Amino acid sequence: MKKLSLAEASAILIGTQIGAGVLGLPYALKDTGLLGIIIVIATGLLTLLTALFVLDLAAHSDGTLSKIAEAYLGKIGGYLMFLSISVLSYGALIAYIAGSGDILSSLFGINEKTGALIFWFVMSLIVFLGLKASGEAELLLNFLLLGALTLAIALVMPKADVSNLTKIDYSAITKGIGVAVFAYVSHMVVPEMLKGLGDVKKTTKAVLIGYLVPMVFYAFFVLAFVGTFGSKTPELATSALEQLYGRLGNVLGLILPLAAISTSYIGIGLAQMDNMKEIFGIKRSHAWLLTVIPPLLVYFAGLNSFINALWMAGTFGGLLYAGILPTVMYIKAKKIHRKLHLPIPHSFVYLSGLVFFLVFIYSILSV
């Protein structure tokens, strides 16, 4: 892997996080008021902590997250990590299919399921062909998206009403946490960042920057849209711009998420296809079919809500992949290695593990 600068490494992490997930945050947190902002920040800090766990683990073990998990937790741990990543990936792909159906239906007046099928076919074909933009193009696209969503915040924030932020429905917290976890999960790129920077201290700075920037951005995005639209916030937050700015707002609010969903589908589709090939040792074409067919079947079977799919991905994939498993691996590593690179207190490690475990159990019981 080519050497990275601190700015490049930070940008990769920011770009991995800023995507389709942020578009669903306001809807998922629309009934939590100001508590939603606290959820966004708390989730960000906890996933930042486990990303630092992954960094320290990567400094002692080579390979993908599944391989690192296998090194510390055995074959079962490796397969469990693979399974959690797969749930996260499939949930994301289902969400993108559902979201694209809504967007294309609004833009062109076609049936939602027809729009979803067209999107799935085109994006899945791109995944099969292996067409992936260069790293520079991916980063440029992500920062253009970040800039455009910042513009959306600037357009919406002046319309905010404090009364929308004082109404709190505590039953909405579970879904909000699941979608928030999804919006932050990017742990799989941390080992690659370490390889590119070649230094744990530099990579630590990159991880801190890479999490704190999206955290601030997410908080303001939720504040702007929930503050303005309250319980009427739509599943794709930016689609609400039509209410304020007419047709121009409608186009801006739909084209932006379609771009985010498209790039996210391709990236996650390619990653999951590679995971399938690595774990099962199968042909590329078979791995592609196992990647793109199940999400489409689940969508047509009835899970066709953008937010519900993001929640499923974040809760049943993200909490394991970015919360529980990295913590358990780190606890095991502290017993094996005499000295780890990052001076993270034992109390922080165990507290984060307990919080992720309790949220995971509560989410399951709330289904």
Side-chain angles (χ1 to χ4, degrees):
M1 180 177 179
K2 71 171 186 176
K3 289 295 179 183
L4 298 171
S5 68
L6 177 62
E8 288 173 330
S10 302
I12 288 172
L13 193 55
I14 293 169
T16 303
Q17 290 177 71
I18 301 288
V22 64
L23 302 171
L25 271 176
Y27 179 84
L29 296 166
K30 65 185 175 69
D31 296 318
T32 60
L34 280 174
L35 184 59
I37 312 301
I38 297 173
I39 290 172
V40 167
I41 294 172
T43 304
L45 291 174
L46 282 169
T47 49
L48 164 60
L49 184 61
T50 56
L52 292 174
F53 294 168
V54 170
L55 169 57
D56 220 331
L57 293 165
H60 290 87
S61 305
D62 290 326
T64 62
L65 260 183
S66 294
K67 291 296 181 184
I68 294 174
E70 185 178 324
Y72 289 101
L73 305 177
K75 287 282 186 184
I76 293 177
Y79 281 119
L80 193 56
M81 179 62 81
F82 167 76
L83 181 62
S84 65
I85 292 174
S86 295
V87 171
L88 184 76
S89 299
Y90 282 135
L93 295 178
I94 295 165
Y96 302 154
I97 293 170
S100 68
D102 292 340
I103 292 170
L104 293 177
S105 175
S106 296
L107 282 174
F108 303 112
I110 60 177
N111 178 270
E112 290 178 3
K113 286 185 166 51
T114 301
L117 189 60
I118 292 171
F119 172 87
W120 171 85
F121 178 79
V122 173
M123 292 301 128
S124 297
L125 181 61
I126 292 174
V127 171
F128 179 75
L129 295 174
L131 299 178
K132 182 165 170 59
S134 67
E136 291 81 5
E138 285 280 350
L139 291 177
L140 176 62
L141 188 58
N142 275 300
F143 277 110
L144 285 175
L145 174 65
L146 181 60
L149 292 178
T150 302
L151 173 62
I153 293 174
L155 291 172
V156 171
M157 187 72 85
K159 312 283 186 180
D161 184 345
V162 176
S163 65
N164 288 326
L165 299 170
T166 55
K167 302 170 187 173
I168 299 176
D169 178 1
Y170 292 96
S171 65
I173 292 175
T174 305
K175 183 168 288 188
I177 291 174
V179 176
V181 169
F182 179 87
Y184 283 111
V185 289
S186 55
H187 295 52
M188 77 284 280
V189 304
V190 173
E192 297 304 314
M193 289 168 61
L194 178 59
K195 289 178 186 176
L197 287 169
D199 180 78
V200 173
K201 287 186 177 179
K202 273 189 179 180
T203 312
T204 301
K205 291 179 183 177
V207 170
L208 289 170
I209 295 169
Y211 266 84
L212 292 175
V213 170
M215 195 184 307
V216 171
F217 177 77
Y218 290 169
F220 277 105
F221 192 69
V222 171
L223 179 65
F225 278 85
V226 174
T228 301
F229 300 102
S231 60
K232 295 180 180 178
T233 304
E235 285 204 356
L236 284 164
T238 52
S239 64
L241 288 172
E242 181 180 12
Q243 297 176 35
L244 302 178
Y245 299 100
R247 180 61 181 169
L248 179 62
N250 178 50
V251 173
L252 176 66
L254 293 174
I255 293 295
L256 292 177
L258 184 61
I261 286 172
S262 298
T263 56
S264 296
Y265 187 101
I266 294 168
I268 289 179
L270 286 167
Q272 180 63 4
M273 187 169 68
D274 289 341
N275 284 336
M276 290 288 184
K277 284 170 58 183
E278 182 182 71
I279 291 294
F280 298 118
I282 55 180
K283 293 181 180 178
R284 188 175 180 279
S285 58
H286 294 167
W288 175 73
L289 288 172
L290 286 174
T291 297
V292 302
I293 296 295
L296 185 70
L297 294 178
V298 173
Y299 170 76
F300 278 103
L303 182 57
N304 48 24
S305 165
F306 179 70
I307 296 300
N308 285 343
L310 289 183
W311 170 78
M312 182 192 76
T315 299
F316 299 103
L319 284 172
L320 273 174
Y321 149 74
I324 296 171
L325 286 175
T327 305
V328 174
M329 290 155 58
Y330 193 72
I331 290 171
K332 184 72 179 289
K334 287 176 84 73
K335 294 178 180 178
I336 295 174
H337 304 295
R338 180 172 295 180
K339 186 178 180 182
L340 294 173
H341 292 86
L342 304 175
I344 301 173
H346 279 74
S347 56
F348 278 34
V349 178
Y350 287 102
L351 180 61
S352 69
L354 178 62
V355 170
F356 277 115
F357 179 74
L358 290 176
V359 171
F360 184 69
I361 296 299
Y362 178 72
S363 299
I364 291 175
L365 294 177
S366 299
V367 175

